[in-house]
Amino acid sequence: MEQDIIRGVGPQATLHTARMHMTEATRAAENAMLDRYLPQAIADIASARPHITIFGCTSASALRGEEYDKELCSLISEQTGGVTISTIAAVNDAIAASAASRVAILTPYGEELNVKIRESIAATGVEVIAIEGMGITENFDCSVPAPEEITERGAELVDRSSADLLFISCTNFQALDAVASIERTAGVPVITSNSAVLRAVNEAINNVAAAALHESTTK
């Protein structure tokens, strides 16, 4: 995720990260990450006094439902003093902005995490007509599939499902580099976890800059 964010915001912002320990892409590991490792990561990142904080895990954002995710983002904002962006909320906002109604989802995950992703997207009223995972349970290995493989799998999924939008889940997936080729091949828009977050981050950056300008001109 770090490299996608750096490329996507350019020199207008600096990036500071705090890692939440997680070695397995499973429900049990994500629950442990939320309960044991996230509090320290929040404290660490708060020391940088960020204007914007990203909770950068799609499946963990979806794991305990929308209300938990909202409460978590509020907690992070209280400790950091800035705006907090949830990955799954950013994805849902991007899908809503596209006006798509029939969404197919590609993930690197196994079924237990796919269920939560499907539930989170469907809860907004969008029809999830297909979801396919690669069955990867080692978190590091989610970053291994090349954009070419993601392109092939994504285009095939769109073709089989007749979706009008493809969402590719996971911040630790080389999906952003596959977007253009899938859109050319499949003929539908593609949203990834990181493209959705970048959309939200750049909007937040503009808002922070506008607020700072307003403050400086009214003193």
Side-chain angles (χ1 to χ4, degrees):
M1 188 180 206
E2 289 96 336
Q3 64 181 9
D4 285 347
I5 298 299
I6 289 169
R7 288 187 300 171
V9 300
Q12 62 184 325
T14 60
L15 180 67
H16 311 268
T17 63
R19 288 201 165 269
M20 304 171 289
H21 180 77
M22 191 178 81
T23 58
E24 296 179 353
T26 63
R27 189 177 297 188
E30 291 194 349
N31 277 314
M33 180 188 76
L34 290 170
D35 294 333
R36 295 177 57 190
Y37 302 113
L38 177 59
Q40 186 62 54
I42 297 172
D44 290 345
I45 206 69
S47 69
R49 301 182 185 180
H51 295 100
I52 301 159
T53 301
I54 303 162
F55 180 63
C57 184
T58 323
S59 50
S61 293
L63 188 64
R64 298 179 178 177
E66 182 181 6
E67 286 308 310
Y68 176 86
D69 187 55
K70 287 180 179 178
E71 291 172 3
L72 175 60
C73 289
S74 294
L75 173 66
I76 294 171
S77 289
E78 287 174 8
Q79 294 194 36
T80 62
V83 175
T84 300
I85 293 171
S86 151
T87 301
I88 196 66
V91 167
N92 282 326
D93 287 346
I95 293 174
S98 76
S101 59
R102 293 166 50 83
V103 175
I105 304 173
L106 177 66
T107 85
Y109 319 129
E111 182 59 23
E112 67 172 5
L113 295 184
N114 281 348
V115 167
K116 305 308 294 185
I117 296 295
R118 176 192 280 272
E119 289 176 356
S120 293
I121 303 301
T124 66
V126 171
E127 182 184 5
V128 178
I129 58 173
I131 183 166
E132 178 181 306
M134 294 184 178
I136 298 172
T137 58
E138 173 67 37
N139 190 44
F140 186 90
D141 288 347
C142 289
S143 67
V144 171
E148 293 78 13
E149 181 180 357
I150 296 170
T151 296
E152 182 178 354
R153 295 284 291 267
E156 288 176 354
L157 180 57
V158 171
D159 185 58
R160 290 197 311 271
S161 64
S162 299
D164 56 15
L165 181 141
L166 176 66
F167 164 51
I168 308 179
S169 183
C170 189
T171 58
N172 191 29
F173 207 29
Q174 296 187 65
L176 195 59
D177 289 332
V179 168
S181 56
I182 296 174
E183 290 183 338
R184 285 195 303 269
T185 303
V188 301
V190 178
I191 292 170
T192 77
S193 292
N194 290 352
S195 72
V197 168
L198 276 167
R199 177 178 179 270
V201 165
N202 282 308
E203 180 180 351
I205 287 172
N206 290 337
N207 291 339
V208 168
L213 178 62
H214 176 74
E215 182 179 355
S216 67
T217 57
T218 54
K219 285 184 177 179

